[in-house]
Amino acid sequence: MKSRLEEILRKVQAGRLSPEKALDSLRDYPYRDLGFAKVDHHREILKGHPEIIYGEGKTPDQIVRIAREIVRKGSNLLVTRVEAPVFARIKGRLKGARYDPSAATVTLVQAPAVQGGGRIAVISAGTSDMRVAEEAAVTAEFLGNPTDRIYDVGVAGLHRLLDQHGTMSRARVIITVAGMEGALPSVVAGLVKVPVIAVPTSVGYGASFKGLAALLAMLNSCPGGVAVVNIDNGFGAGFMASLINHQ
Amino acid sequence: MKSRLEEILRKVQAGRLSPEKALDSLRDYPYRDLGFAKVDHHREILKGHPEIIYGEGKTPDQIVRIAREIVRKGSNLLVTRVEAPVFARIKGRLKGARYDPSAATVTLVQAPAVQGGGRIAVISAGTSDMRVAEEAAVTAEFLGNPTDRIYDVGVAGLHRLLDQHGTMSRARVIITVAGMEGALPSVVAGLVKVPVIAVPTSVGYGASFKGLAALLAMLNSCPGGVAVVNIDNGFGAGFMASLINHQ
Amino acid sequence: MKSRLEEILRKVQAGRLSPEKALDSLRDYPYRDLGFAKVDHHREILKGHPEIIYGEGKTPDQIVRIAREIVRKGSNLLVTRVEAPVFARIKGRLKGARYDPSAATVTLVQAPAVQGGGRIAVISAGTSDMRVAEEAAVTAEFLGNPTDRIYDVGVAGLHRLLDQHGTMSRARVIITVAGMEGALPSVVAGLVKVPVIAVPTSVGYGASFKGLAALLAMLNSCPGGVAVVNIDNGFGAGFMASLINHQ
Amino acid sequence: MKSRLEEILRKVQAGRLSPEKALDSLRDYPYRDLGFAKVDHHREILKGHPEIIYGEGKTPDQIVRIAREIVRKGSNLLVTRVEAPVFARIKGRLKGARYDPSAATVTLVQAPAVQGGGRIAVISAGTSDMRVAEEAAVTAEFLGNPTDRIYDVGVAGLHRLLDQHGTMSRARVIITVAGMEGALPSVVAGLVKVPVIAVPTSVGYGASFKGLAALLAMLNSCPGGVAVVNIDNGFGAGFMASLINHQ
Amino acid sequence: MKSRLEEILRKVQAGRLSPEKALDSLRDYPYRDLGFAKVDHHREILKGHPEIIYGEGKTPDQIVRIAREIVRKGSNLLVTRVEAPVFARIKGRLKGARYDPSAATVTLVQAPAVQGGGRIAVISAGTSDMRVAEEAAVTAEFLGNPTDRIYDVGVAGLHRLLDQHGTMSRARVIITVAGMEGALPSVVAGLVKVPVIAVPTSVGYGASFKGLAALLAMLNSCPGGVAVVNIDNGFGAGFMASLINHQ
Amino acid sequence: MKSRLEEILRKVQAGRLSPEKALDSLRDYPYRDLGFAKVDHHREILKGHPEIIYGEGKTPDQIVRIAREIVRKGSNLLVTRVEAPVFARIKGRLKGARYDPSAATVTLVQAPAVQGGGRIAVISAGTSDMRVAEEAAVTAEFLGNPTDRIYDVGVAGLHRLLDQHGTMSRARVIITVAGMEGALPSVVAGLVKVPVIAVPTSVGYGASFKGLAALLAMLNSCPGGVAVVNIDNGFGAGFMASLINHQ
Amino acid sequence: MKSRLEEILRKVQAGRLSPEKALDSLRDYPYRDLGFAKVDHHREILKGHPEIIYGEGKTPDQIVRIAREIVRKGSNLLVTRVEAPVFARIKGRLKGARYDPSAATVTLVQAPAVQGGGRIAVISAGTSDMRVAEEAAVTAEFLGNPTDRIYDVGVAGLHRLLDQHGTMSRARVIITVAGMEGALPSVVAGLVKVPVIAVPTSVGYGASFKGLAALLAMLNSCPGGVAVVNIDNGFGAGFMASLINHQ
Amino acid sequence: MKSRLEEILRKVQAGRLSPEKALDSLRDYPYRDLGFAKVDHHREILKGHPEIIYGEGKTPDQIVRIAREIVRKGSNLLVTRVEAPVFARIKGRLKGARYDPSAATVTLVQAPAVQGGGRIAVISAGTSDMRVAEEAAVTAEFLGNPTDRIYDVGVAGLHRLLDQHGTMSRARVIITVAGMEGALPSVVAGLVKVPVIAVPTSVGYGASFKGLAALLAMLNSCPGGVAVVNIDNGFGAGFMASLINHQ
């Protein structure tokens, strides 16, 4: 944007543009240029990562078109929530794309991501929480974070969780993934001194109300140091953890 | 009831009552007699305890009148949810009544209750859960159960809970009382092999929605062996635990 | 675990192990061993039953692999929420497994369970509640409890329920299963002096909100002696009732 | 309205009014006259009762002014939801008004109401439901219905309810009033063959959610012949029952 | 049951049965006989209609078996919520059964029902409410009530509703069926002096929350004389209206 | 209606009709005529647009029959919520009908609509909101409003939105369409001085609760000048905007 | 802002400022100036009205300080939600301020507002809705709109509403205010061809859930041309109506 | 803990303790010692901060007693949610305690906290959100974080927010505090590349449902990098931000 302003100012200085015409061409200036020049570039630098595609509800065709655009610019590619049959129709058209069925993600890495300052641990309560936990873990790894998985350590069998104390204490950020009663982040946050990102999952039935029970439990988590993302939002947790780990 | 039926039958046999009139007097019989004779007495024996007064919303006068009726019959008296100012207006009129401010209960014991087969442990998560926990404990004791209190052992400080393992393992029934995320019964039930009664409390703010978060969490408790009573229903938990302990 | 600890202590006593090396091999002992050795065995003794498989959302393959592990250890096997087509793909690979279509359970009993102290009655309100009621009954039987089924005795036809008074009064614990208005546990608990476990079901439509109406009704049950498990959680009710019956 | 129309028509017939002017004076006729003349009178005849004042949220002054208007027309007066202190400020200004503290109603009867064809029974579950039950009973009586009160017969003590079978079977319409689990109308409707109006009350705490639990239970009532009014709406139930009893 | 009781009494009178043996055979009489003999017949007289089958969730086989039992006793048959493919598998096995696709009901009338005292009007707001409205109308007719249908007269086009004033004013009971904003019963009840049964439907989308919006609106209906049944419960409305019309 | 009244009045004047018979033929007049004559025509003029067909839940047959009726009267036709397979079965039977797959609408324009006074801008937050946004835009255009589409300008990338300031400032009414957090109307209304119609969409997952999150956010929109329609109600927004633009 | 930009440009033209220094002084220009100079003025022009103070939760002191700032700039003043005791503490310190107790508003008009193009009608259902209706009406008048009040015309007494057809048909925008079942906007929108703003109120009890019932009903309003603002948001409705009336 | 184990082992080695007695003294060892020795100390080191007192619901006496305990140990003191009248009764008994009325916090700093690695920015939407924002800011500062306050920059006046871009971009973590529509974190997270903690507040009325609207909006926040804490939980946000800033 600076250059456009500069150009105008120089024209005014050179007498090639009257202040009136300059003013006229600058009407809406803060907004227009904000859009095209400054902010867009600013944003790429600012956010420090390529755009990530949320695959659910998109056709294979739409995913391929957006993905190619990203790949063409030399960026790394991450598509979340891609079911296997969708990937089957994608893979022939996206050379080098790699599918992770347990996370339901598609990745294509062209250049290594900037590494974060520590490790991220992803802890899940039950086996049914795995897809969401994997989405979080794959996202974290994609964004340059060494990641440890600690799965199936729900609070009903406390010893299995406590047994992982070593791995937990090596993490700089912890992601906890749990459905049903959502008690895991409360217990974990009481054991560590790092930020805990809590992901409620829709795992459960009846009074779990598709994850509402776990969500409310996590928002009411008693120990400090817990913050919550949307139900089943593994990507959001991985992204947030990566931001923290890159500070 | 039997006697009334017998009386009618004997009159019919003696020819003092025609079958028609007998039939007539027996119309509604199953219901009417159920009410007056059989069930009422049956119920006292059946439920094995005097009626208990729920004090909230009752005037001091109403409480006194019902309480005196119970005391007059020689039964023990328990009134729950009595605030101190209400008791101040009651105590002069109920000789021997004893007020427990932390439980907000009034008791008057005339004869020892039948003792249960084991001990009941009442475990609460935070200090704010104490009134409900005490209501449960006082109820359990009133109904003849030796009771252990383990307070302020929320899952955020797991070690304080685990440290009470000895007391927990001596209990035949455990009552867990917790607000906020309501994770306590899940953790406790994973550590013991006795029935756990879960009492959500309205302790908390915001997304606790007056105990809804804890209630939902407890209903979704992952380990087996947990059943739930209403929010803040310390009495119900103590009563249920006593029933179990008297089996 | 005792044996491992004992072994170490005896080696130290015998001078075959220095305290330093003993300490070293016990590092993380409370946790590590908790996980691998002690707690697992402790837990088996503690909870008094093998792990039970929740079949919903698991592939036939996953079920078979976990089930074989349990069977291999000589334990009895219970898998809940197995639809008929899933069992069709399992049965060839699990010798001796028995399918109960009305309960949607798979069982394989290698050794008789420890018998509980009394009988458990399972009472359901309507024919549509049967799958949940059967899940409760099969679970209770699997865990060693003689069980009576009293079905289709909703409060709309009170006489059918009252007619079962004899069977009810023989029970040491009662499980009530009802959808819609969920009134059954309130009526039953008023008639008996044993603990009543209430299971709301998702049977109904419109303002039943998939079992929410029944759940709330049961939580507000007026007579003492009722505790509630999750909507459709027949297994949880059977398990809780068994715990009580084994006290 | 007929008279105004008739007058116009006669004037036209008599040649004292041209059709054009008649048309002009009838512009907006369906609406205007609907408002002032026809419908108002039509409505009085139609609805068969004077307007009833909902007292909550009105000042003593407002109540007195509306009440006097009704009394002045010779109609009977019913004001609902009037707390005692409000009536204290009203009574001096409404000669002959009678206050019923248990129903929180003010009545002033100048002429007997048209009697309904049968009796109305008002059945309530607990003592705390009494204000709502009395509002229903007083409304029913005010509108010309002999009314029987059957109070404190919740389903927890079934025999007390069954004992009232005689009174119930004499009713042409039954109003059931219950908070907490709201099971009463289901049980009552299974015992009688007359319409049952169900009134949920806000009595309860915790998961009663101010009457929501009872409301949902009643809407899901299993036996036919139950219809529901708003939480605590004793007046609405009494009014509906009276309408039925006057058919 | 009367007959069995009568038989026993006559035997006692005749000296063929001692009071002792009579008593013995009557043990548990209120309950046992309540179940098998008395109440069932009593109930038939009491409720004045055969049992009605709720078809949803039942297999064709189950429906046929229950239906045949009812038909065999000479009663009329009504099955609600039967989709066309289900009826296709039923019709060959239930001679004389008649299917109404718009109401999704199966009927088989062997003897005319007792006629009610007046007419029932079924008024629906939109064309999508028709299945529920027809379920109500068919139920009302089946139970002996001449019924008028007034469809597609939602409050958005008030004139269409007002135009039906004549038919409305002939009704002794009115059923209103509406989804979305559920305003119809409020408007109708303001125009008539007969009881109005309101049926919310799940018609709508978004913030209708499957009929919740209409349900709440109807419960808050301002004019007196409205009572509400469950969402989509056309049968319940028709049944209630018939009860009223038979008083 | 005037004509019918006039005819009657003239007959009375002419002595061909007695006032009595006139009165008789006018019984129910306000309602009856309201229905047939006056209001219907009044309504067409009043609302200024033909009836619009809501296609969801209607069979192709039903749509064709209603559509032909509208077309036959010479009106323009708009059918909303028509999926492609439904249109495939319609198109052969509705000559000239045009299908818009992104809006899921069918239109058939026979005469240009009355043009509104300004332009309408339709702004959507994400690509998944497009179907709803297109439904709004197509409706607005159909009703005679030049419409600008500004899509995929959610608040997460503020510069893309600000860049469209010029187009926004040309609009006389703005429609904002957003799911998830529903923040778009708040931001837009802060930038313009024209009315903003907010359409929440069901786009999202988890705690979006099918559009509830966006709906609540929009209802709480901080800047003045925002009003909300139902979730996914693109048609309603387009219709409302058109009404405003035609004032 | 223009002036500052112009000044800079003129200095550049005059050679008194180099383009480099101009650029420097414009760093962060879009934002900084956006905040202090441009947008603020732009906004005043843009929104066409002074800032309005929401009084609830503000101390008398805070209100006075903000109000004086507004008055000092020569703008008109509107403060909403000011209870009488708060105004009592304000009036001495705000010369010329006028309090409207029925609307709970404070106004101080220094210059007439720009008049809107037509009239606004405010229609309310019941007397309890008056505060909200008056807040809407006073806001509309304050912003330069001649306003008609049509109160107490709920749908239960349709004739009172229809009787106001004349006034309604004169309005360019209509605001409808209703609690309880919230049916008013649906009926009104069916009668007129102007935009209808719907304001749900928290008037009611029980299942009105503090206005939720009315809110949902209004969002599901069947006829086109209705948009909704927050519960009790009379100000928002008046503001929106004014915006429309000034287009 | 190690030392106790070591001591036992050395005694065994020295023959002063038999393995049997050692085993005996180690019964419950993992739990008991966990409680008393290891975890407690571990936790202080682990969490890196003294316990913080949640003042709401505690009596002045309770606060003073706990506070003195903390102060006595030489720790810094923070008490949240202390209303002014409560502090008035505290201050005489807690020498050096400092009250912050806008945050409702009491602090007493005895030693400077460990400083975090960057700055924390606290951004709030409206003036009513200030108490929560200040609670967050005071907490952050108390825990050793330089903190910038950016208040009253809601999305309705975007320029005020954008104008603060400089301060925002200097922050290492950002806390956003907003009620009503809760749009602030979405907009902020789109402008920065640091973690954003979102705090919904209960500010608003009607459909804000005490912060639920803002909570849901924040959980659905579209841009990555947002995590949410409980409604009004300023402390939780400050604590979480501090944890991140100390990584």
Side-chain angles (χ1 to χ4, degrees), chain F residues 31 34 39 42-43 45-48 162 165 171-173 188-197 215-216 219-221 223-231 233 235-236 239-240 243-244 247, chain G residues 31 34 42-43 45-48 159 162 165 171-173 188-197 215-216 219-221 223-231 233 235-236 239-240 243-244 247:
Chain F
Y31 301 120
L34 216 74
V39 177
H42 187 54
R43 190 173 189 255
I45 297 157
L46 179 70
K47 305 297 288 187
L162 296 179
H165 194 258
R172 199 174 170 224
V173 193
V188 168
L191 296 171
V192 299
K193 65 170 170 181
V194 297
V196 174
I197 309 299
L215 170 64
L216 293 181
L219 286 165
N220 284 284
S221 185
V226 177
V228 185
V229 297
N230 195 2
I231 296 164
N233 192 2
F235 164 73
F239 188 91
M240 182 73 174
L243 268 192
I244 296 173
Q247 289 301 309
Chain G
Y31 301 122
L34 215 73
H42 187 54
R43 193 175 186 256
I45 296 157
L46 179 70
K47 305 296 288 187
H159 58 289
L162 296 179
H165 195 259
R172 198 172 169 224
V173 192
V188 168
L191 296 170
V192 299
K193 65 170 169 181
V194 297
V196 173
I197 309 300
L215 171 64
L216 293 182
L219 286 165
N220 283 283
S221 187
V226 177
V228 185
V229 297
N230 196 1
I231 297 165
N233 192 2
F235 164 73
F239 188 90
M240 182 72 173
L243 269 192
I244 295 173
Q247 289 302 309

Side-chain angles (χ1 to χ4, degrees), chain B residues 46-47 189 191-193 228, chain C residues 46-47 189 191-193 228:
Chain B
L46 178 68
K47 305 297 289 187
L191 296 170
V192 299
K193 66 170 169 181
V228 185
Chain C
L46 177 70
K47 305 298 287 188
L191 296 170
V192 300
K193 65 170 169 182
V228 185

Side-chain angles (χ1 to χ4, degrees), chain A residues 31 34 39 42-43 45-48 159 162 165 171-173 188-197 215-216 219-221 223-231 233 235-236 239-240 243-244 247, chain H residues 31 34 38-39 42-43 45-48 159 162 165 171-173 188-197 215-216 219-221 223-230 233 235-236 239-240 243-244 247:
Chain A
Y31 300 121
L34 215 73
V39 178
H42 188 54
R43 190 175 190 255
I45 297 156
L46 178 70
K47 305 297 288 188
H159 58 288
L162 296 179
H165 194 259
R172 199 173 169 225
V173 192
V188 168
L191 296 170
V192 299
K193 66 170 170 181
V194 296
V196 174
I197 310 299
L215 170 64
L216 293 181
L219 286 166
N220 283 283
S221 186
V226 177
V228 186
V229 296
N230 196 2
I231 297 164
N233 191 3
F235 164 73
F239 188 91
M240 181 73 173
L243 269 191
I244 296 172
Q247 291 300 310
Chain H
Y31 301 121
L34 214 75
K38 182 180 168 196
V39 178
H42 188 54
R43 190 173 189 256
I45 297 156
L46 178 69
K47 304 298 288 188
H159 58 289
L162 296 179
H165 195 259
R172 197 172 170 226
V173 192
V188 168
L191 296 170
V192 299
K193 67 170 169 181
V194 297
V196 173
I197 309 300
L215 170 64
L216 293 182
L219 286 165
N220 284 284
S221 186
V226 176
V228 185
V229 297
N230 195 2
N233 192 3
F235 164 73
F239 187 90
M240 182 73 174
L243 269 192
I244 296 173
Q247 289 302 309

